[in-house]
Amino acid sequence: MSVQEIIPDERIDITDVNCPITFVKTKVALDELDVGQILQVHLNGGEPIQNVPRSVKDEGHIVLNITENDDGTYELFIKKNEE
């Protein structure tokens, strides 16, 4: 699935926070979605891009795609799964 085909239901920007708050904000945003909806997360490289996708998978959600932006930030697309 290419990024152009992914239409998120919600978007959040967590580039202004550090771990572990990055995952906390992502989890809160996912909690507000219905099963099957998609969350787009704008986040930094380093710890956030290493930890947030792993933590999301550990929670049972599906990482659809991760793309790197020209400025070194990333877009993470998560499909909410049953918890």
Side-chain angles (χ1 to χ4, degrees), residues 50-69:
Q50 292 171 6
N51 295 335
V52 173
R54 183 182 67 235
S55 297
V56 163
K57 288 178 190 173
D58 289 347
E59 292 276 316
H61 303 295
I62 302 162
V63 173
L64 297 175
N65 197 301
I66 300 172
T67 54
E68 185 173 3
N69 299 311

Side-chain angles (χ1 to χ4, degrees), residues 15-72:
T15 55
D16 61 339
V17 295
N18 297 316
C19 288
I21 302 303
T22 51
F23 176 63
V24 172
K25 286 198 169 208
T26 302
K27 182 169 172 45
V28 167
L30 281 167
D31 287 346
E32 294 176 2
L33 296 179
D34 293 327
V35 171
Q37 287 190 305
I38 297 172
L39 175 66
Q40 178 179 348
V41 183
H42 181 69
L43 69 166
N44 292 319
E47 278 190 80
I49 196 60
Q50 292 171 6
N51 295 335
V52 173
R54 183 182 67 235
S55 297
V56 163
K57 288 178 190 173
D58 289 347
E59 292 276 316
H61 303 295
I62 302 162
V63 173
L64 297 175
N65 197 301
I66 300 172
T67 54
E68 185 173 3
N69 299 311
D70 292 338
D71 64 359

